[in-house]
């Protein structure tokens, strides 16, 4: 069963990656230009039909996968690169630092990605960049808190005391003992946050707070679709978002198992 | 030479609602090459004492000298002196060995530390040497801890403690987490190595049988106070304190049917 879910996850995520890679070299039509009649049904030459302006849906879907992946990767990278070291530092016994970070996290939690995106869009103009930054910044406390909680668990283990008794420096303990032991949890969190970032970007695009109308993104495609006239134009990007979210979540579970040698023993 | 000079050591853990006095005016002198067993029931302050001796926590009051140097957690030189001379074997090898490191990396950690004594040979050779000393083949170095039995894991923990050639070995109930079949093996091994290497041993345990088997000196802790100390044979046969006598009576005995 476990194997099946990992394969299913890899298949879904792999399709998204494949679509993004394929769109770098080939798309059936120019995804930014009108190539047919409005709301044309699926058929030849428009395999998935056309949208409200007559642009090829299949081409926009393929190019939209690029945006989805880039937003997910950069947003998670921003959150993890800032949140994980802060969480480990706070978890390794620096009480004042932990207290300050907790309060800072509370403030960030109070500012959801949507509000941050509105703020950044107001300051810098709505773009994929501002949406990605907003999602990344809003996800920092998630990584910081998870890293701190996981670090506290690791720090209670005797092998940390043994390392201290050996005279191992604190930063070496963090890199050699703490980080590898919390990595499986962070891997799962990264996959979950990746999925959430995809969803958040789709939401922000839908609200017009991300890519401009010329840039094909799945959220934008949902926004431009008319559910009554051509429901398929809403269903296609919706299904793509759902598959991507599910796929990366399942891959996250697989990553956890792969990174933890204790779980290999069970398999 | 005196290994440990412990004078007036107390340790209080202060929570928000209550204070726990784990150690109360503890005094003891431990000479080099002696093998001490500190016995007492759960909550008597055994582990707190060991952590203070290991420099992992500071006493609330009192002083501890290690091999003539006063222990001060804020003094880098004093702590470096302690780290070079003292190693510890923990109670549960599942918790004391990092599950993500291979055995060779675990054992070599104290050898790669900036405080490590200069090695006469390569680190890998020393790892093989201590693995051999604890009766494990060199191939075990490539294994992860979860691939070993409980007894093998505790041997690895012992090998790690011995790798940097310490003068003092602290042991926190080193066999209590092992199943019976491994206990005697590990205890005999500990006994042999401590004697052959001329180490000073300070072992805390609640098991009087383990103390009788391994230690030539014993101290009895009750409620954070040392109620009795002396040669193991003497204390075991003629206990001077009623609590010691009570502990001796509480030992399980096998009666013929």
């Amino acid at each position: 069963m476990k194997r099946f879910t990992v394969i299913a996850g890899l298949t879904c995520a792999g399709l998204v990656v494949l679509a993004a890679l394929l769109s770098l070299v080939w798309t059936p039509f120019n995804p930014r230009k009108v190539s047919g009649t409005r709301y044309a049904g699926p058929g030849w030459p428009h395999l998935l039909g056309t949208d409200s302006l007559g642009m090829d849906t299949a081409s926009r879907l393929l190019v939209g996968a690029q945006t989805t992946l880039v937003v997910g990767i950069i947003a998670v990278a921003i959150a993890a690169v800032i949140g994980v070291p802060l969480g480990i530092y706070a978890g390794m016994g620096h009480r004042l630092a932990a207290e300050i970070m907790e309060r800072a996290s509370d403030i960030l939690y109070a500012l959801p990605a949507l509000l941050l995106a509105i703020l950044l869009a107001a300051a810098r103009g709505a773009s994929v960049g501002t949406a990605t930054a907003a999602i990344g910044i809003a996800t920092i406390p998630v990584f910081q808190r998870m890293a701190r909680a996981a670090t506290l668990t690791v720090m209670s283990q005797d092998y940390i005391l043994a390392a201290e008794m050996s005279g191992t420096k604190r930063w070496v303990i963090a890199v050699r003992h703490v980080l590898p032991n919390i990595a499986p949890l962070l891997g799962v969190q990264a996959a979950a946050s990746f999925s959430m970032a995809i969803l958040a970007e789709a939401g922000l695009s839908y609200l017009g707070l991300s890519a401009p109308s010329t840039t094909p993104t799945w959220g934008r495609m949902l926004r431009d679709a008319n559910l009554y006239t051509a429901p398929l134009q809403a269903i296609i990007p919706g299904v793509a978002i759902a598959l991507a979210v599910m796929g990366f979540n399942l891959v996250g579970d697989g990553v956890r198992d792969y990174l933890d040698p204790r779980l290999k023993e069970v398999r | 030479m005196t290994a440990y000079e412990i004078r007036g050591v107390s340790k209080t853990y202060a929570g928000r609602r209550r204070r726990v006095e784990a150690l109360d005016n503890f005094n003891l002198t431990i000479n080099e090459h002696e093998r001490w067993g500190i016995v007492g029931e759960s909550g008597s302050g055994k582990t707190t004492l060991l952590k203070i001796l290991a420099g992992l926590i500071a006493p609330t009051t009192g002083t501890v000298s290690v091999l003539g140097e006063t222990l001060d957690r804020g003094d880098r030189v004093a702590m470096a002196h302690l780290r070079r001379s003292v190693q510890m074997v923990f109670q549960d090898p599942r918790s004391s060995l990092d599950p993500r490191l291979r055995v060779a990396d675990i054992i070599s950690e104290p050898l790669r530390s900036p405080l490590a004594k200069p090695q006469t040979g390569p680190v890998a050779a020393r790892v093989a040497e201590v693995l051999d000393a604890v009766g494990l083949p060199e191939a075990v170095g490539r294994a992860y801890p979860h691939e070993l039995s409980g007894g093998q894991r505790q041997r690895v923990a012992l090998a790690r403690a011995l790798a940097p050639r310490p003068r003092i070995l602290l042991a926190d109930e080193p066999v209590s987490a092992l199943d019976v079949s491994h206990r005697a093996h590990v205890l005999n091994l500990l006994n042999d190595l401590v004697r052959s290497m001329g180490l000073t041993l300070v072992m805390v345990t609640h098991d009087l049988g383990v103390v009788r088997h391994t230690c030539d000196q014993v101290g009895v802790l009750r409620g954070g106070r040392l109620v009795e100390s002396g040669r193991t044979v003497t204390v075991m046969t003629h206990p001077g304190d009623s609590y010691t006598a009570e502990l001796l009576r509480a030992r399980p005995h096998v009666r013929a049917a």
Side-chain angles (χ1 to χ4, degrees):
Chain A
M1 188 63 195
K2 191 87 199 159
R3 205 181 170 84
F4 171 75
T5 54
V6 172
I7 290 171
L10 280 173
T11 307
C12 294
L15 279 175
V16 178
V17 175
L18 205 66
L21 291 176
L22 180 66
S23 70
L24 288 173
V25 292
W26 177 81
T27 50
F29 290 91
N30 186 332
R32 292 175 181 83
K33 288 212 170 131
V34 174
S35 54
T37 54
R38 297 173 68 224
Y39 293 133
W44 188 259
H46 300 289
L47 292 175
L48 298 176
T50 58
D51 66 4
S52 59
L53 294 173
M55 293 191 278
D56 182 54
T57 301
S59 304
R60 291 178 72 77
L61 194 73
L62 290 175
V63 176
Q66 277 182 37
T67 319
T68 298
L69 287 182
V70 169
V71 169
I73 290 168
I74 296 177
V76 169
I78 291 172
V81 165
I82 299 173
V84 171
L86 289 177
I88 291 177
Y89 185 74
M92 286 186 75
H94 306 274
R95 273 192 197 172
L96 183 65
E99 197 62 33
I100 292 169
M101 280 177 217
E102 281 299 296
R103 298 294 81 80
S105 287
D106 289 343
I107 294 168
L108 259 184
Y109 260 129
L111 291 172
L114 175 61
L115 200 57
L116 274 173
I118 292 170
L119 283 172
L120 287 176
R124 313 274 307 173
S127 69
V128 175
T130 53
T132 308
I135 297 165
I137 293 168
T139 316
I140 290 172
V142 176
F143 276 88
Q144 187 260 324
R145 288 199 168 164
M146 168 153 283
R148 177 170 177 261
T151 301
L152 284 173
T153 308
V154 172
M155 291 303 287
S156 68
Q157 301 295 309
D158 285 340
Y159 57 79
I160 299 294
L161 294 180
E164 281 181 27
M165 287 214 62
S166 301
T168 308
K169 288 181 185 296
R170 296 286 282 179
W171 72 266
V172 178
I173 290 178
V175 173
R176 189 185 292 159
H177 296 290
V178 177
L179 195 56
N181 277 289
I182 67 172
L185 272 177
L186 295 176
V188 177
Q189 184 57 56
S193 293
F194 193 91
S195 307
M196 292 311 294
I198 291 172
L199 264 185
E201 197 282 328
L204 293 175
S205 281
Y206 187 82
L207 295 171
L209 290 168
S210 181
S213 57
T214 48
T215 308
T217 70
W218 293 348
R220 189 87 211 179
M221 288 168 75
L222 265 179
R223 175 190 161 101
D224 294 341
N226 188 324
L227 204 56
Y228 299 104
T229 318
L232 198 64
Q233 297 308 315
I235 291 169
I236 289 168
V239 168
I241 293 166
L243 280 180
V245 170
M246 189 181 74
F248 285 106
N249 263 327
L250 294 177
V251 168
D253 283 349
V255 167
R256 181 195 54 197
D257 297 352
Y258 179 76
L259 287 176
D260 195 335
R262 287 165 293 185
L263 291 175
K264 284 181 189 160
E265 179 184 31
V266 178
R267 281 203 294 269
Chain B
M1 191 177 185
T2 308
Y4 275 110
E5 188 81 50
I6 308 161
R7 289 287 162 262
V9 164
S10 300
K11 179 69 184 177
T12 307
Y13 295 105
R16 282 191 181 165
R17 293 195 177 164
R18 66 189 195 114
R19 292 158 62 85
V20 176
E21 198 148 27
L23 277 180
D24 180 16
N25 193 27
F26 188 94
N27 294 286
L28 190 66
T29 301
I30 296 173
N31 294 313
E32 254 201 301
H33 312 302
E34 282 181 345
R35 299 184 304 279
W36 274 84
I38 308 289
V39 292
E41 59 194 9
S42 297
S44 60
K46 303 188 299 285
T47 301
T48 298
L49 173 67
L50 214 59
K51 284 186 175 175
I52 289 173
L53 297 185
L56 294 170
I57 55 172
T60 311
T61 57
T63 59
V64 177
S65 297
V66 188
L67 298 164
E69 186 114 16
T70 304
L71 192 59
D72 178 0
R73 276 175 56 82
D75 182 345
R76 282 190 171 194
V77 178
M79 288 310 288
H81 173 73
L82 174 87
R83 300 282 180 245
R84 285 195 191 98
S85 316
V86 182
Q87 282 296 318
M88 185 161 165
V89 178
F90 294 86
Q91 181 175 3
D92 187 353
R94 279 170 304 185
S95 160
S96 72
L97 306 179
D98 188 337
R100 300 196 160 267
L101 294 183
R102 291 182 192 274
V103 165
D105 296 325
I106 290 170
I107 295 173
S108 63
E109 182 164 41
L111 302 174
R112 296 180 198 280
S113 141
L115 300 179
K117 292 173 192 165
Q119 288 294 306
T120 48
V123 167
R126 179 65 184 152
V127 171
E129 196 182 331
V130 286
L131 275 174
D132 183 53
V134 299
L136 291 173
E138 201 178 335
V140 167
R142 291 187 290 278
Y144 283 102
H146 70 256
E147 293 167 342
L148 307 177
S149 69
Q152 285 176 318
R153 286 182 211 183
Q154 197 61 311
R155 283 167 190 251
V156 170
L158 190 55
R160 172 183 53 196
L162 297 175
R165 302 177 201 277
R167 289 166 69 181
I168 300 169
L169 187 66
L170 307 175
D172 183 4
E173 309 235 22
V175 294
S176 67
L178 305 181
D179 54 47
V180 179
S181 61
H182 290 124
R183 279 188 191 185
H185 286 302
V186 172
L187 210 54
N188 287 334
L189 179 69
L190 179 70
N191 222 347
D192 293 345
L193 290 170
V194 165
R195 282 167 200 260
S196 65
M197 293 180 179
L199 300 176
T200 305
L201 175 72
V202 183
M203 178 165 66
V204 303
T205 179
H206 62 271
D207 191 334
L208 288 166
V210 169
V211 171
R212 188 199 284 270
H213 186 75
T214 313
C215 304
D216 50 15
Q217 306 281 335
V218 63
V220 182
L221 258 181
R222 184 188 194 188
R225 294 183 79 96
L226 188 67
V227 294
E228 185 171 4
S229 65
R231 290 187 58 77
T232 307
V233 180
T234 315
V235 172
M236 293 277 186
T237 48
H238 301 96
D241 186 88
S242 58
Y243 178 67
T244 313
E246 206 178 303
L247 278 181
L248 285 166
R249 277 197 302 275
R251 272 186 307 163
H253 293 279
V254 179
R255 231 185 351 224

